[in-house]
Amino acid sequence: MKLVYFAWVRQQVGVSQETVTPPDAVQTVGDLMSWLAGRGEGHARAFADRSRIRAAVNQVHAGPTARVAAGDEVAFFPPVTGG
Amino acid sequence: MKLVYFAWVRQQVGVSQETVTPPDAVQTVGDLMSWLAGRGEGHARAFADRSRIRAAVNQVHAGPTARVAAGDEVAFFPPVTGG
Amino acid sequence: MIRIAVGEADFDAGAEVRRLQAAAGDAGAIASFIGVVRPQSGGEALLSMTLEHYPGMTERALEEIAQAACSRFALSAVTIVHRVGRLVPGAQIVFAGAASGHRQAAFEGVQFLMDYLKTQAPFWKLEERVSGDHWVEARSSDDEAAARWERR
Amino acid sequence: MIRIAVGEADFDAGAEVRRLQAAAGDAGAIASFIGVVRPQSGGEALLSMTLEHYPGMTERALEEIAQAACSRFALSAVTIVHRVGRLVPGAQIVFAGAASGHRQAAFEGVQFLMDYLKTQAPFWKLEERVSGDHWVEARSSDDEAAARWERR
């Protein structure tokens, strides 16, 4: 599973992307966030307040109950501020 | 008093402007329209249906009860259609 | 800054936008509208559109509309350019633009300009069609569009 | 016709407007919006604004927003140009334009584009101020602006 991070989420995690193989119990975006929060200090800081994080699965906006699977590209980022 | 006409009002009256000296009884834009309607065939046709005519006194939109006086520039035209 | 221009010459919409930007100062939002002569009217081909206006009153009316928009929507710059004379399909008729610190104000400013321009500024359109010449009739939808600003 | 462009290069708003006009066909109404980097933010001078985005998803999101606007407002042409990278105050950030047969549809089309762009397209702004770097926070007013289209 490919993970990509943007804006301050990227800065706190410390990398812009990484490839991970989460355990089978990780079925949703929400599960993935919980699992990622335990991966280290940067990840813990980034995912400390999930209300501040948005996600996309395969480049489509996705809520915490959206399913994730091996081979997916999952992105985590703050609410967007373009325009 | 200077009168100016635009669009089909101008075409029906037959001139784009004229100088007139209406009688003292002509006090308002409405009075002026009634008086002008009697000035000839073209004028009669132009002012036949007053609901279709708008006016300006000294280049400011004016209703039928607006006052007119010697020296004024009074314009008659259809509802505007610019833009 | 208010810029009003009425004349036969065509205008450069890009240059007008740049001018608004330059005049906008701190304003980060610039909205604009361009009206173009359509190729059809009343179900038949339009050969040309001739715009007549009331010189003197036109500029005065546009200036008043621009002033009203500036104070109502806190605009930092407004431009209205309106052509007169004979225009062919595809030709630009009007440019209206507004600069503001907020995008909603910029959008509403330009809509206000267009709604009042269409109901207050002394312009008249004569269409030359295959079937003959036709004066364009004022539309009640334009009156209603302008009236919505009165109700607020 | 839908035109989407995302990149570091500056754009020519005038050329974009002319392109919309050329693509507009019978459409007589063209509305557009330009966003510019402001010189101030949070009460202090802004030195620069860096726009980060999600390559791939950005273009897809903009395309979807443009498609939605086209079908909803019967637009004949839509353009969205969005810059990324480091921009200084006064620099253009975004151009959004729509062509339609009716001015109200053109205005609403561009407002829809901007409201969804601000809440759906994956862009993030990092402000460089004298006091340090600050990520721009999403504004609830932008969410509300986008939500009004859902309610209709």
Side-chain angles (χ1 to χ4, degrees), chain C residues 39-80:
Chain C
Q40 297 231 328
S41 181
E44 57 179 331
L46 185 65
L47 305 177
S48 77
M49 168 99 88
T50 299
L51 277 133
E52 181 172 337
H53 78 126
Y54 185 173
M57 180 171 168
T58 309
E59 290 78 2
R60 178 197 286 227
L62 294 180
E63 181 81 29
E64 272 174 22
I65 293 166
Q67 290 281 9
C70 275
S71 47
R72 179 160 183 164
F73 301 101
L75 306 175
S76 58
V78 160
T79 297
I80 303 175

Coordinates of all heavy atoms in Angstrom, one line a residue, chain C residues 39-80:
Chain C
P39 N -24.8 34.8 -32.6 CA -25.0 34.6 -34.1 C -26.5 34.5 -34.4 O -26.9 34.6 -35.6 CB -24.3 33.3 -34.4 CG -24.2 32.6 -33.1 CD -24.2 33.6 -32.0
Q40 N -27.4 34.3 -33.4 CA -28.8 34.1 -33.7 C -29.7 34.9 -32.8 O -29.3 35.3 -31.8 CB -29.2 32.6 -33.4 CG -28.4 31.6 -34.3 CD -29.4 30.6 -34.9 OE1 -30.4 30.3 -34.3 NE2 -29.1 30.2 -36.1
S41 N -30.9 35.2 -33.3 CA -31.9 35.9 -32.5 C -33.2 35.6 -33.1 O -33.4 35.6 -34.3 CB -31.6 37.4 -32.5 OG -32.6 38.1 -31.7
G42 N -34.2 35.4 -32.2 CA -35.6 35.1 -32.6 C -35.6 34.0 -33.6 O -36.5 34.0 -34.5
G43 N -34.7 33.0 -33.5 CA -34.8 31.8 -34.3 C -34.2 32.0 -35.7 O -34.3 31.1 -36.6
E44 N -33.6 33.2 -36.0 CA -33.0 33.3 -37.3 C -31.6 33.9 -37.1 O -31.2 34.4 -36.1 CB -33.9 34.2 -38.2 CG -34.2 35.5 -37.7 CD -35.0 36.4 -38.6 OE1 -34.9 36.2 -39.8 OE2 -35.8 37.2 -38.1
A45 N -30.8 33.9 -38.2 CA -29.5 34.4 -38.2 C -29.5 35.9 -38.0 O -30.3 36.6 -38.5 CB -28.8 34.0 -39.5
L46 N -28.6 36.3 -37.1 CA -28.4 37.7 -36.9 C -27.3 38.3 -37.8 O -26.2 37.7 -37.7 CB -28.0 37.9 -35.4 CG -27.9 39.4 -34.9 CD1 -29.3 40.1 -34.9 CD2 -27.4 39.4 -33.4
L47 N -27.6 39.3 -38.6 CA -26.5 39.8 -39.5 C -25.7 40.9 -38.7 O -24.5 40.9 -38.9 CB -27.2 40.4 -40.7 CG -28.1 39.5 -41.4 CD1 -28.8 40.2 -42.6 CD2 -27.4 38.3 -42.0
S48 N -26.3 41.7 -38.0 CA -25.6 42.7 -37.2 C -26.5 43.2 -36.0 O -27.7 43.0 -36.0 CB -25.2 43.9 -38.1 OG -26.3 44.7 -38.3
M49 N -25.8 43.9 -35.1 CA -26.5 44.5 -34.0 C -25.9 45.9 -33.9 O -24.7 46.1 -33.8 CB -26.1 43.7 -32.7 CG -26.5 44.3 -31.4 SD -28.0 43.6 -30.9 CE -27.4 42.2 -30.0
T50 N -26.8 46.9 -33.9 CA -26.4 48.3 -33.8 C -26.8 48.9 -32.5 O -28.0 48.8 -32.1 CB -26.9 49.1 -35.0 OG1 -26.5 48.6 -36.2 CG2 -26.5 50.6 -34.9
L51 N -25.8 49.3 -31.7 CA -26.1 49.9 -30.4 C -26.1 51.4 -30.5 O -25.2 52.1 -30.9 CB -25.0 49.5 -29.4 CG -25.3 48.1 -28.9 CD1 -24.1 47.2 -28.9 CD2 -25.9 48.2 -27.5
E52 N -27.3 51.9 -30.1 CA -27.5 53.4 -30.0 C -27.4 53.8 -28.6 O -27.7 53.0 -27.7 CB -28.9 53.7 -30.6 CG -29.3 55.2 -30.6 CD -30.6 55.4 -31.3 OE1 -31.0 54.6 -32.2 OE2 -31.2 56.4 -31.0
H53 N -27.0 55.0 -28.3 CA -26.9 55.4 -26.9 C -27.2 56.9 -26.8 O -27.5 57.6 -27.8 CB -25.6 55.0 -26.2 CG -24.5 55.9 -26.6 ND1 -23.7 56.5 -25.6 CD2 -23.9 56.3 -27.7 CE1 -22.7 57.3 -26.2 NE2 -22.9 57.1 -27.5
Y54 N -27.2 57.4 -25.6 CA -27.5 58.8 -25.3 C -26.3 59.5 -24.8 O -26.0 59.4 -23.5 CB -28.7 58.8 -24.2 CG -29.2 60.2 -23.8 CD1 -30.4 60.2 -23.0 CD2 -28.7 61.4 -24.3 CE1 -30.9 61.4 -22.6 CE2 -29.3 62.6 -23.9 CZ -30.4 62.6 -23.1 OH -31.0 63.8 -22.7
P55 N -25.5 60.0 -25.7 CA -24.2 60.5 -25.2 C -24.3 61.5 -24.1 O -25.2 62.4 -24.1 CB -23.6 61.2 -26.5 CG -24.3 60.5 -27.6 CD -25.7 60.2 -27.1
G56 N -23.5 61.5 -23.1 CA -23.6 62.4 -22.0 C -24.3 61.6 -20.8 O -23.7 61.3 -19.8
M57 N -25.6 61.3 -21.1 CA -26.3 60.5 -20.1 C -25.7 59.2 -19.8 O -25.7 58.6 -18.7 CB -27.8 60.4 -20.4 CG -28.6 59.7 -19.3 SD -30.4 59.7 -19.5 CE -30.9 58.4 -18.3
T58 N -25.2 58.5 -20.9 CA -24.7 57.2 -20.8 C -23.5 57.2 -19.8 O -23.5 56.4 -18.9 CB -24.1 56.7 -22.2 OG1 -25.2 56.9 -23.1 CG2 -23.7 55.3 -22.1
E59 N -22.6 58.0 -20.0 CA -21.4 58.1 -19.1 C -21.8 58.4 -17.7 O -21.3 57.8 -16.7 CB -20.4 59.1 -19.6 CG -19.7 58.8 -20.9 CD -20.6 59.0 -22.2 OE1 -21.7 59.5 -22.1 OE2 -20.1 58.7 -23.3
R60 N -22.7 59.3 -17.5 CA -23.2 59.7 -16.2 C -23.9 58.5 -15.5 O -23.7 58.2 -14.4 CB -24.2 60.8 -16.4 CG -24.9 61.3 -15.1 CD -26.1 62.1 -15.4 NE -25.8 63.4 -16.0 CZ -26.3 64.6 -15.5 NH1 -27.3 64.5 -14.6 NH2 -26.0 65.7 -16.0
A61 N -24.7 57.8 -16.3 CA -25.4 56.6 -15.7 C -24.5 55.5 -15.3 O -24.6 54.9 -14.2 CB -26.5 56.1 -16.7
L62 N -23.5 55.3 -16.2 CA -22.5 54.2 -15.9 C -21.6 54.6 -14.7 O -21.3 53.7 -13.8 CB -21.6 53.9 -17.1 CG -22.3 53.4 -18.3 CD1 -21.3 53.2 -19.5 CD2 -23.0 52.0 -18.0
E63 N -21.3 55.9 -14.6 CA -20.5 56.3 -13.4 C -21.3 56.1 -12.1 O -20.8 55.7 -11.1 CB -20.2 57.8 -13.6 CG -19.4 58.5 -12.6 CD -17.9 58.2 -12.7 OE1 -17.4 58.0 -13.8 OE2 -17.2 58.1 -11.6
E64 N -22.6 56.5 -12.2 CA -23.4 56.3 -11.0 C -23.5 54.8 -10.6 O -23.5 54.5 -9.4 CB -24.8 56.8 -11.2 CG -25.0 58.3 -10.9 CD -26.3 58.8 -11.3 OE1 -27.3 58.1 -11.5 OE2 -26.4 60.1 -11.5
I65 N -23.7 54.0 -11.6 CA -23.8 52.5 -11.3 C -22.5 52.0 -10.7 O -22.5 51.3 -9.7 CB -24.2 51.8 -12.6 CG1 -25.6 52.1 -13.1 CG2 -24.0 50.2 -12.4 CD1 -25.9 51.7 -14.5
A66 N -21.4 52.5 -11.2 CA -20.1 52.0 -10.7 C -19.9 52.5 -9.3 O -19.4 51.8 -8.4 CB -19.0 52.6 -11.7
Q67 N -20.2 53.8 -9.0 CA -20.1 54.4 -7.7 C -20.9 53.6 -6.7 O -20.5 53.2 -5.6 CB -20.6 55.8 -7.6 CG -19.7 56.8 -8.4 CD -18.5 57.2 -7.6 OE1 -18.2 56.6 -6.5 NE2 -17.7 58.1 -8.1
A68 N -22.2 53.2 -7.1 CA -23.1 52.5 -6.2 C -22.5 51.1 -5.9 O -22.5 50.7 -4.7 CB -24.4 52.4 -6.8
A69 N -21.9 50.5 -6.9 CA -21.3 49.1 -6.7 C -20.1 49.2 -5.8 O -20.0 48.4 -4.9 CB -20.9 48.5 -8.0
C70 N -19.3 50.2 -6.0 CA -18.1 50.4 -5.1 C -18.4 50.6 -3.7 O -17.8 49.9 -2.8 CB -17.3 51.7 -5.6 SG -16.2 51.4 -6.9
S71 N -19.4 51.4 -3.4 CA -19.7 51.6 -2.0 C -20.5 50.4 -1.4 O -20.2 50.0 -0.2 CB -20.4 52.9 -1.7 OG -21.5 53.1 -2.6
R72 N -21.3 49.8 -2.2 CA -22.1 48.7 -1.6 C -21.3 47.5 -1.4 O -21.6 46.8 -0.4 CB -23.2 48.4 -2.6 CG -24.1 47.2 -2.2 CD -25.4 47.2 -2.9 NE -26.3 46.2 -2.4 CZ -27.6 46.1 -2.7 NH1 -28.1 47.1 -3.4 NH2 -28.3 45.1 -2.2
F73 N -20.3 47.2 -2.2 CA -19.6 45.9 -2.1 C -18.1 46.2 -1.7 O -17.3 45.2 -1.8 CB -19.7 45.1 -3.4 CG -21.1 44.8 -3.8 CD1 -21.7 45.5 -4.8 CD2 -21.8 43.8 -3.2 CE1 -23.0 45.3 -5.2 CE2 -23.1 43.5 -3.5 CZ -23.7 44.2 -4.5
A74 N -17.8 47.4 -1.3 CA -16.4 47.7 -0.9 C -15.4 47.3 -1.9 O -14.4 46.6 -1.7 CB -16.1 47.0 0.5
L75 N -15.7 47.7 -3.2 CA -14.8 47.3 -4.3 C -13.7 48.3 -4.3 O -13.9 49.5 -4.1 CB -15.6 47.3 -5.6 CG -16.8 46.5 -5.6 CD1 -17.6 46.7 -6.9 CD2 -16.5 45.0 -5.4
S76 N -12.5 47.9 -4.7 CA -11.4 48.8 -4.8 C -11.2 49.3 -6.2 O -10.5 50.3 -6.4 CB -10.1 48.1 -4.3 OG -9.8 47.0 -5.0
A77 N -11.8 48.6 -7.2 CA -11.7 49.1 -8.6 C -12.8 48.5 -9.4 O -13.3 47.4 -9.2 CB -10.3 48.6 -9.2
V78 N -13.4 49.3 -10.3 CA -14.5 48.9 -11.1 C -14.2 49.4 -12.5 O -13.7 50.6 -12.7 CB -15.8 49.5 -10.6 CG1 -16.9 49.6 -11.7 CG2 -16.3 48.8 -9.4
T79 N -14.5 48.6 -13.5 CA -14.3 49.0 -14.9 C -15.6 48.7 -15.7 O -16.2 47.6 -15.5 CB -13.2 48.3 -15.6 OG1 -12.0 48.6 -15.0 CG2 -13.1 48.6 -17.1
I80 N -16.1 49.6 -16.4 CA -17.2 49.3 -17.4 C -16.8 49.8 -18.7 O -16.5 51.0 -18.9 CB -18.6 50.0 -17.0 CG1 -19.0 49.6 -15.6 CG2 -19.7 49.6 -18.0 CD1 -20.3 50.3 -15.1

